[in-house]
Coordinates of all heavy atoms in Angstrom, one line a residue:
M1003 N 0.9 -1.2 0.0 CA 0.0 0.0 0.0 C 0.9 1.3 0.0 O 1.8 1.4 0.8 CB -0.9 0.0 1.2 CG -2.0 1.0 1.1 SD -3.4 0.7 2.3 CE -2.5 0.6 3.8
E1004 N 0.6 2.2 -0.9 CA 1.4 3.4 -1.0 C 1.0 4.4 0.1 O -0.2 4.7 0.3 CB 1.1 4.0 -2.3 CG 2.2 4.9 -2.7 CD 2.0 5.4 -4.2 OE1 1.2 6.3 -4.5 OE2 2.6 4.7 -5.1
R1005 N 2.0 4.9 0.8 CA 1.7 5.8 1.8 C 1.9 7.3 1.3 O 2.7 7.5 0.4 CB 2.7 5.6 3.1 CG 2.3 4.4 3.8 CD 3.0 4.4 5.1 NE 4.4 4.4 5.1 CZ 5.2 5.0 6.0 NH1 4.7 5.6 7.0 NH2 6.5 5.0 5.8
D1006 N 1.1 8.1 1.8 CA 1.2 9.5 1.3 C 2.1 10.3 2.2 O 1.7 10.9 3.2 CB -0.3 10.1 1.4 CG -0.3 11.5 0.8 OD1 0.7 11.9 0.0 OD2 -1.3 12.3 1.0
I1007 N 3.4 10.3 1.8 CA 4.4 11.0 2.6 C 4.6 12.4 2.0 O 4.7 12.6 0.8 CB 5.7 10.2 2.5 CG1 5.5 8.8 3.0 CG2 6.8 10.9 3.3 CD1 6.7 7.9 2.6
T1008 N 4.7 13.4 2.9 CA 5.0 14.7 2.5 C 6.0 15.3 3.4 O 5.8 15.3 4.7 CB 3.7 15.6 2.5 OG1 2.7 15.1 1.7 CG2 4.0 17.0 2.1
K1009 N 7.1 15.9 2.9 CA 8.1 16.5 3.7 C 8.2 17.9 3.2 O 8.0 18.3 2.1 CB 9.4 15.7 3.6 CG 9.3 14.3 4.1 CD 10.7 13.7 4.3 CE 10.6 12.4 5.0 NZ 11.9 11.8 5.3
K1010 N 8.6 18.8 4.2 CA 8.7 20.2 3.9 C 10.1 20.7 4.3 O 10.6 20.3 5.3 CB 7.6 21.0 4.6 CG 6.2 20.6 4.1 CD 5.1 21.5 4.8 CE 3.8 21.0 4.3 NZ 2.7 21.8 4.9
Y1011 N 10.6 21.7 3.4 CA 11.9 22.3 3.7 C 11.8 23.7 3.4 O 11.3 24.1 2.3 CB 13.0 21.7 2.8 CG 13.1 20.2 2.8 CD1 12.2 19.3 2.1 CD2 14.0 19.5 3.6 CE1 12.3 18.0 2.1 CE2 14.1 18.2 3.7 CZ 13.2 17.4 2.9 OH 13.3 16.0 3.0
T1012 N 12.2 24.6 4.4 CA 12.0 26.0 4.1 C 13.3 26.8 4.4 O 14.1 26.4 5.2 CB 10.8 26.6 5.0 OG1 10.6 28.0 4.6 CG2 11.2 26.5 6.5
N1013 N 13.4 27.9 3.7 CA 14.5 28.8 4.0 C 14.0 30.1 4.6 O 14.7 31.1 4.8 CB 15.2 29.3 2.7 CG 14.3 30.0 1.7 OD1 13.1 30.3 2.0 ND2 14.8 30.4 0.5
G1014 N 12.8 30.0 5.1 CA 12.1 31.1 5.8 C 11.2 31.9 4.9 O 10.3 32.7 5.4
E1015 N 11.5 31.8 3.7 CA 10.7 32.6 2.7 C 9.8 31.8 1.8 O 8.6 32.0 1.6 CB 11.7 33.4 1.8 CG 11.1 34.5 0.9 CD 12.1 35.3 0.2 OE1 13.2 34.8 0.0 OE2 11.8 36.4 0.0
V1016 N 10.4 30.7 1.3 CA 9.6 29.7 0.5 C 9.7 28.4 1.2 O 10.7 28.1 1.8 CB 10.2 29.7 -1.0 CG1 11.7 29.1 -0.9 CG2 9.4 28.8 -1.9
T1017 N 8.7 27.6 1.0 CA 8.7 26.2 1.5 C 8.7 25.2 0.4 O 7.7 25.4 -0.4 CB 7.6 25.9 2.5 OG1 7.7 26.8 3.6 CG2 7.6 24.5 3.0
I1018 N 9.6 24.3 0.3 CA 9.6 23.3 -0.8 C 8.9 22.1 -0.2 O 9.1 21.6 0.9 CB 11.0 22.9 -1.1 CG1 11.8 24.1 -1.6 CG2 11.0 21.7 -2.2 CD1 13.3 23.8 -1.7
V1019 N 7.8 21.6 -1.0 CA 7.0 20.5 -0.5 C 7.4 19.3 -1.3 O 7.4 19.4 -2.6 CB 5.5 20.8 -0.7 CG1 4.7 19.6 -0.1 CG2 5.1 22.1 0.1
W1020 N 7.8 18.2 -0.7 CA 8.3 17.0 -1.3 C 7.5 15.8 -1.1 O 7.2 15.5 0.0 CB 9.8 16.8 -0.8 CG 10.4 15.5 -1.0 CD1 10.8 14.6 -0.1 CD2 10.6 14.8 -2.3 NE1 11.4 13.5 -0.6 CE2 11.3 13.6 -2.0 CE3 10.4 15.2 -3.6 CZ2 11.6 12.7 -3.0 CZ3 10.8 14.3 -4.6 CH2 11.4 13.0 -4.3
K1021 N 7.0 15.2 -2.2 CA 6.2 14.0 -2.1 C 6.9 12.9 -2.8 O 6.7 12.7 -4.0 CB 4.8 14.3 -2.7 CG 4.0 15.3 -1.9 CD 2.6 15.4 -2.4 CE 1.9 16.4 -1.5 NZ 0.4 16.5 -1.8
P1022 N 7.7 12.2 -2.1 CA 8.5 11.1 -2.7 C 7.9 10.1 -3.5 O 8.4 9.6 -4.4 CB 9.3 10.5 -1.5 CG 8.5 10.9 -0.3 CD 7.9 12.2 -0.6
T1023 N 6.6 9.7 -3.2 CA 5.9 8.7 -3.8 C 5.6 9.1 -5.3 O 5.3 8.3 -6.1 CB 4.6 8.2 -3.1 OG1 3.8 9.4 -2.9 CG2 5.0 7.6 -1.8
L1024 N 5.6 10.4 -5.6 CA 5.2 10.9 -6.9 C 6.4 11.1 -7.8 O 6.3 11.2 -9.0 CB 4.6 12.3 -6.8 CG 3.2 12.3 -6.1 CD1 2.7 13.8 -6.1 CD2 2.2 11.4 -6.8
C1025 N 7.6 11.0 -7.2 CA 8.9 11.3 -8.0 C 9.1 10.3 -9.1 O 9.0 9.0 -8.9 CB 10.1 11.4 -7.1 SG 11.6 11.7 -7.9
Q1026 N 9.3 10.7 -10.3 CA 9.6 9.9 -11.5 C 11.1 9.7 -11.8 O 11.5 9.2 -12.8 CB 8.8 10.3 -12.7 CG 7.4 10.3 -12.5 CD 6.6 11.2 -13.6 OE1 7.2 11.9 -14.3 NE2 5.3 10.9 -13.7
H1027 N 11.9 10.3 -10.9 CA 13.3 10.2 -11.0 C 13.8 10.8 -12.4 O 14.7 10.2 -13.0 CB 13.8 8.8 -10.7 CG 13.3 8.3 -9.4 ND1 13.8 8.7 -8.2 CD2 12.3 7.5 -9.1 CE1 13.1 8.2 -7.3 NE2 12.2 7.4 -7.8
S1028 N 13.2 11.8 -12.8 CA 13.6 12.5 -14.1 C 15.0 13.1 -13.9 O 15.6 13.4 -14.9 CB 12.7 13.6 -14.4 OG 12.7 14.6 -13.4
K1029 N 15.5 13.4 -12.6 CA 16.8 13.9 -12.3 C 16.8 15.4 -12.7 O 17.9 16.0 -12.6 CB 17.9 13.2 -13.1 CG 18.0 11.7 -12.7 CD 19.1 11.1 -13.5 CE 19.1 9.5 -13.3 NZ 20.1 8.9 -14.0
I1030 N 15.8 16.0 -13.2 CA 15.9 17.4 -13.6 C 16.3 18.3 -12.4 O 17.1 19.2 -12.6 CB 14.5 17.9 -14.1 CG1 14.2 17.1 -15.5 CG2 14.5 19.4 -14.3 CD1 12.8 17.4 -16.0
C1031 N 15.6 18.1 -11.3 CA 15.9 19.0 -10.1 C 17.4 18.9 -9.8 O 18.1 19.9 -9.6 CB 15.1 18.7 -8.9 SG 15.1 16.9 -8.4
W1032 N 17.9 17.8 -9.6 CA 19.3 17.7 -9.1 C 20.4 17.8 -10.1 O 21.5 18.1 -9.8 CB 19.6 16.5 -8.1 CG 19.3 15.1 -8.6 CD1 18.1 14.5 -8.5 CD2 20.2 14.3 -9.2 NE1 18.2 13.2 -9.0 CE2 19.5 13.0 -9.4 CE3 21.6 14.3 -9.5 CZ2 20.1 11.9 -10.0 CZ3 22.2 13.2 -10.1 CH2 21.4 12.0 -10.3
T1033 N 20.0 17.7 -11.4 CA 21.1 18.0 -12.4 C 21.1 19.5 -12.7 O 22.2 20.1 -13.0 CB 20.9 17.3 -13.7 OG1 19.6 17.5 -14.2 CG2 21.1 15.8 -13.5
E1034 N 20.0 20.2 -12.5 CA 20.0 21.6 -12.8 C 20.3 22.5 -11.6 O 20.7 23.7 -11.7 CB 18.6 22.0 -13.4 CG 18.4 21.4 -14.7 CD 17.1 21.8 -15.4 OE1 16.4 22.7 -14.9 OE2 16.9 21.4 -16.6
L1035 N 20.0 22.0 -10.4 CA 20.2 22.9 -9.2 C 20.7 22.0 -8.0 O 20.1 21.8 -7.0 CB 18.9 23.6 -8.8 CG 19.0 24.8 -7.7 CD1 20.0 25.8 -8.2 CD2 17.7 25.4 -7.4
R1036 N 21.9 21.6 -8.2 CA 22.5 20.7 -7.2 C 22.8 21.3 -5.9 O 22.9 20.7 -4.9 CB 23.9 20.1 -7.8 CG 24.5 19.0 -7.0 CD 23.7 17.8 -6.7 NE 23.6 16.9 -7.8 CZ 24.5 16.0 -8.1 NH1 25.5 15.7 -7.4 NH2 24.3 15.2 -9.2
E1037 N 22.9 22.7 -5.9 CA 23.1 23.4 -4.6 C 22.0 23.2 -3.7 O 22.1 23.3 -2.4 CB 23.3 24.9 -4.9 CG 24.4 25.2 -5.8 CD 23.9 25.5 -7.2 OE1 23.2 24.6 -7.7 OE2 24.2 26.5 -7.8
V1038 N 20.8 22.9 -4.2 CA 19.6 22.7 -3.3 C 19.2 21.2 -3.3 O 18.9 20.7 -2.3 CB 18.5 23.6 -3.8 CG1 17.2 23.3 -3.0 CG2 18.8 25.1 -3.7
F1039 N 19.2 20.6 -4.5 CA 18.8 19.2 -4.6 C 19.9 18.3 -4.8 O 20.5 18.3 -5.9 CB 17.8 19.0 -5.7 CG 16.6 20.0 -5.6 CD1 16.5 21.2 -6.4 CD2 15.5 19.7 -4.8 CE1 15.4 22.0 -6.2 CE2 14.4 20.6 -4.6 CZ 14.4 21.7 -5.4
D1040 N 20.3 17.5 -3.8 CA 21.4 16.5 -4.0 C 21.0 15.2 -3.3 O 21.0 15.1 -2.1 CB 22.6 17.2 -3.3 CG 23.8 16.3 -3.6 OD1 23.7 15.1 -4.0 OD2 25.0 16.8 -3.5
P1041 N 20.7 14.2 -4.1 CA 20.2 13.0 -3.6 C 21.3 12.1 -2.9 O 21.0 11.1 -2.3 CB 19.6 12.3 -4.8 CG 20.4 12.8 -6.0 CD 20.7 14.3 -5.6
F1042 N 22.5 12.6 -3.0 CA 23.6 11.8 -2.4 C 24.0 12.3 -1.0 O 24.9 11.8 -0.4 CB 24.8 11.8 -3.3 CG 24.5 11.3 -4.6 CD1 24.4 12.1 -5.8 CD2 24.2 9.9 -4.8 CE1 24.1 11.6 -7.0 CE2 23.9 9.4 -6.0 CZ 23.8 10.2 -7.1
V1043 N 23.3 13.3 -0.5 CA 23.5 13.8 0.9 C 22.2 13.9 1.6 O 21.1 13.9 1.0 CB 24.3 15.2 0.9 CG1 25.6 15.1 0.3 CG2 23.4 16.2 0.3
K1044 N 22.3 13.9 2.9 CA 21.1 14.0 3.7 C 21.2 15.3 4.6 O 22.1 15.6 5.2 CB 20.9 12.8 4.7 CG 20.4 11.6 3.9 CD 19.9 10.6 4.9 CE 19.1 9.5 4.1 NZ 18.2 8.7 5.0
P1045 N 20.1 16.1 4.7 CA 18.9 15.9 3.9 C 19.1 16.2 2.4 O 20.0 17.1 2.1 CB 17.9 17.0 4.5 CG 18.8 18.0 5.1 CD 20.1 17.3 5.5
W1046 N 18.3 15.7 1.5 CA 18.6 15.8 0.1 C 18.2 17.2 -0.4 O 18.7 17.6 -1.5 CB 18.1 14.6 -0.7 CG 16.7 14.8 -1.2 CD1 15.6 14.5 -0.5 CD2 16.3 15.2 -2.5 NE1 14.4 14.8 -1.3 CE2 14.9 15.2 -2.5 CE3 16.9 15.5 -3.7 CZ2 14.1 15.5 -3.6 CZ3 16.2 15.9 -4.8 CH2 14.8 15.9 -4.8
I1047 N 17.3 17.8 0.3 CA 16.9 19.2 -0.1 C 17.4 20.2 0.9 O 17.2 20.1 2.1 CB 15.4 19.3 -0.2 CG1 14.8 18.4 -1.3 CG2 14.9 20.8 -0.5 CD1 13.3 18.4 -1.4
R1048 N 18.2 21.1 0.4 CA 18.7 22.2 1.3 C 18.3 23.6 0.8 O 18.9 24.1 -0.1 CB 20.2 22.1 1.3 CG 20.8 20.9 2.0 CD 22.3 20.8 1.9 NE 22.6 21.1 0.5 CZ 23.3 20.4 -0.3 NH1 23.9 19.3 0.2 NH2 23.5 20.8 -1.5
P1049 N 17.2 24.1 1.3 CA 16.6 25.3 0.7 C 17.5 26.5 0.9 O 17.3 27.5 0.2 CB 15.3 25.5 1.5 CG 15.5 24.7 2.7 CD 16.5 23.6 2.4
E1050 N 18.6 26.4 1.8 CA 19.4 27.6 1.9 C 20.5 27.6 0.8 O 21.3 28.5 0.7 CB 20.1 27.6 3.3 CG 21.0 26.4 3.5 CD 20.3 25.1 3.9 OE1 19.1 25.0 3.9 OE2 21.0 24.1 4.2
G1051 N 20.4 26.6 -0.1 CA 21.5 26.5 -1.1 C 21.4 27.5 -2.3 O 22.3 27.7 -3.0
A1052 N 20.2 28.1 -2.5 CA 20.0 29.0 -3.6 C 19.0 30.1 -3.2 O 18.2 29.9 -2.2 CB 19.6 28.3 -4.8
E1053 N 18.9 31.1 -4.0 CA 17.9 32.1 -3.7 C 16.5 31.6 -4.0 O 16.3 30.7 -4.9 CB 18.2 33.4 -4.7 CG 19.4 34.1 -4.3 CD 19.7 35.2 -5.2 OE1 18.9 35.5 -6.1 OE2 20.8 35.8 -5.1
T1054 N 15.5 32.2 -3.3 CA 14.2 31.7 -3.5 C 13.7 31.7 -4.9 O 13.0 30.8 -5.3 CB 13.2 32.7 -2.7 OG1 13.6 32.5 -1.2 CG2 11.8 32.4 -2.9
E1055 N 14.0 32.7 -5.7 CA 13.6 32.8 -7.1 C 14.1 31.6 -7.9 O 13.4 31.0 -8.7 CB 14.2 34.0 -7.7 CG 13.4 34.7 -8.8 CD 14.0 36.1 -9.1 OE1 13.9 37.0 -8.3 OE2 14.6 36.2 -10.2
R1056 N 15.3 31.2 -7.7 CA 15.8 30.0 -8.4 C 15.2 28.7 -7.9 O 15.0 27.8 -8.7 CB 17.4 29.9 -8.2 CG 18.2 31.0 -8.9 CD 19.7 30.8 -8.8 NE 20.1 29.6 -9.5 CZ 21.2 29.0 -9.3 NH1 22.0 29.4 -8.3 NH2 21.6 27.9 -10.0
I1057 N 14.9 28.6 -6.6 CA 14.2 27.4 -6.1 C 12.8 27.3 -6.7 O 12.5 26.2 -7.2 CB 14.2 27.6 -4.6 CG1 15.5 27.4 -4.0 CG2 13.2 26.5 -4.0 CD1 15.5 27.6 -2.4
V1058 N 12.1 28.4 -6.8 CA 10.8 28.4 -7.3 C 10.8 28.0 -8.8 O 10.0 27.2 -9.3 CB 10.1 29.7 -7.1 CG1 8.8 29.9 -8.0 CG2 9.8 30.0 -5.7
A1059 N 11.7 28.6 -9.6 CA 11.8 28.3 -11.0 C 12.1 26.8 -11.2 O 11.6 26.1 -12.1 CB 12.9 29.1 -11.6
Q1060 N 13.0 26.2 -10.3 CA 13.4 24.8 -10.4 C 12.2 23.9 -10.1 O 11.9 22.9 -10.7 CB 14.6 24.5 -9.6 CG 15.2 23.2 -9.9 CD 15.8 23.2 -11.3 OE1 16.5 24.1 -11.7 NE2 15.4 22.1 -12.1
V1061 N 11.6 24.2 -9.0 CA 10.4 23.4 -8.6 C 9.3 23.3 -9.6 O 8.7 22.3 -9.8 CB 9.9 24.0 -7.2 CG1 8.5 23.4 -6.9 CG2 10.9 23.7 -6.0
K1062 N 9.1 24.4 -10.3 CA 8.1 24.5 -11.4 C 8.4 23.5 -12.5 O 7.6 23.1 -13.3 CB 7.9 25.8 -11.9 CG 7.2 26.8 -11.0 CD 7.1 28.2 -11.5 CE 6.3 29.1 -10.7 NZ 6.2 30.5 -11.2
K1063 N 9.7 23.1 -12.6 CA 10.1 22.2 -13.7 C 9.9 20.7 -13.4 O 10.1 19.9 -14.2 CB 11.6 22.5 -14.1 CG 11.9 23.8 -14.7 CD 13.3 23.8 -15.2 CE 13.8 25.1 -15.7 NZ 15.2 25.1 -16.0
C1064 N 9.6 20.5 -12.1 CA 9.4 19.0 -11.8 C 8.2 18.5 -12.6 O 7.1 19.0 -12.4 CB 9.2 19.0 -10.3 SG 8.7 17.3 -9.8
P1065 N 8.4 17.5 -13.4 CA 7.3 17.0 -14.2 C 6.3 16.1 -13.5 O 5.2 15.9 -14.1 CB 8.1 16.2 -15.3 CG 9.3 15.7 -14.6 CD 9.6 16.8 -13.6
S1066 N 6.6 15.7 -12.4 CA 5.7 14.7 -11.7 C 4.8 15.3 -10.6 O 3.9 14.6 -10.2 CB 6.6 13.6 -11.0 OG 7.3 14.2 -10.0
G1067 N 5.1 16.5 -10.2 CA 4.4 17.0 -9.1 C 4.9 16.6 -7.7 O 4.4 16.9 -6.7
A1068 N 6.0 15.9 -7.8 CA 6.7 15.5 -6.5 C 7.2 16.7 -5.7 O 7.2 16.7 -4.5 CB 7.8 14.5 -6.8
L1069 N 7.6 17.7 -6.5 CA 8.1 18.9 -5.8 C 7.0 20.0 -6.1 O 6.5 20.2 -7.2 CB 9.4 19.4 -6.5 CG 10.6 18.7 -6.2 CD1 11.8 19.2 -7.0 CD2 11.0 18.7 -4.7
S1070 N 6.7 20.7 -5.1 CA 5.8 21.9 -5.2 C 6.3 22.9 -4.1 O 7.3 22.6 -3.4 CB 4.3 21.5 -5.0 OG 4.1 20.9 -3.7
Y1071 N 5.7 24.0 -4.1 CA 6.2 25.0 -3.1 C 5.0 26.0 -2.7 O 4.0 26.0 -3.4 CB 7.3 25.8 -3.8 CG 6.8 26.9 -4.7 CD1 6.6 28.2 -4.4 CD2 6.6 26.5 -6.1 CE1 6.1 29.1 -5.3 CE2 6.1 27.4 -7.0 CZ 5.8 28.7 -6.6 OH 5.3 29.6 -7.5
Y1072 N 5.2 26.7 -1.7 CA 4.4 27.8 -1.4 C 5.2 28.9 -0.7 O 6.3 28.6 -0.1 CB 3.2 27.5 -0.5 CG 3.5 26.9 0.8 CD1 3.9 27.6 2.0 CD2 3.4 25.5 1.0 CE1 4.1 27.0 3.2 CE2 3.7 24.9 2.3 CZ 4.0 25.7 3.3 OH 4.3 25.1 4.5
M1073 N 4.8 30.1 -0.9 CA 5.5 31.2 -0.2 C 5.0 31.3 1.2 O 3.8 31.3 1.5 CB 5.3 32.6 -0.9 CG 5.7 32.5 -2.4 SD 7.4 32.0 -2.7 CE 8.3 33.5 -2.0
N1074 N 5.9 31.4 2.2 CA 5.5 31.4 3.6 C 4.6 32.5 3.9 O 3.6 32.3 4.7 CB 6.8 31.4 4.5 CG 7.6 30.1 4.4 OD1 7.3 29.2 3.6 ND2 8.6 30.1 5.2
K1075 N 4.8 33.7 3.3 CA 3.9 34.8 3.6 C 2.5 34.5 3.2 O 1.6 35.1 3.8 CB 4.4 36.1 3.0 CG 4.4 36.1 1.5 CD 4.9 37.5 1.0 CE 5.2 37.5 -0.5 NZ 4.2 37.0 -1.4
D1076 N 2.3 33.7 2.2 CA 0.9 33.4 1.8 C 0.2 32.4 2.7 O -1.0 32.3 2.7 CB 0.9 32.8 0.4 CG 1.4 33.7 -0.7 OD1 1.4 34.9 -0.4 OD2 1.9 33.3 -1.7
K1077 N 1.0 31.8 3.6 CA 0.3 30.8 4.6 C 0.1 31.5 5.9 O -0.5 31.0 6.8 CB 1.3 29.7 4.8 CG 1.3 28.7 3.7 CD 0.2 27.7 3.9 CE 0.2 26.7 2.7 NZ -0.7 25.7 2.9
D1078 N 0.6 32.8 6.1 CA 0.4 33.5 7.4 C -1.1 33.8 7.5 O -1.7 34.4 6.6 CB 1.2 34.8 7.4 CG 2.7 34.5 7.6 OD1 3.0 33.3 7.9 OD2 3.5 35.3 7.3
D1079 N -1.6 33.6 8.7 CA -3.0 33.9 8.9 C -3.1 35.3 9.6 O -2.3 35.7 10.3 CB -3.7 32.9 9.8 CG -3.8 31.6 9.1 OD1 -4.3 31.6 8.0 OD2 -3.5 30.6 9.7
Ligands
LIG1261 S1 12.4 17.0 -10.9 FE1 10.7 16.0 -9.8 S2 10.4 14.0 -10.7 FE2 12.4 14.7 -11.3 S3 13.8 13.8 -9.8 FE3 13.2 15.9 -9.1 S4 11.5 15.5 -7.8 FE4 11.8 13.7 -9.0

């Protein structure tokens, strides 16, 4: 049975949302922005590795929906 796992990583400004069960291992994220996405280290997502703008642009390229994001200010109540 597939479990719905969601992990979150934030740099204080943007939050990267990671759903590993959706990942198709296209490698796009970690070949294009290794400063943030590196599957060979733990944790594999380091949101402090690049500016928010670059993170958002990269997350948008994820073809599977495994990576998504929200801006922290939009979550403030
Ligand atoms: S871009 Fe998306 S589908 Fe491709 S490896 Fe990264 S998380 Fe997985």
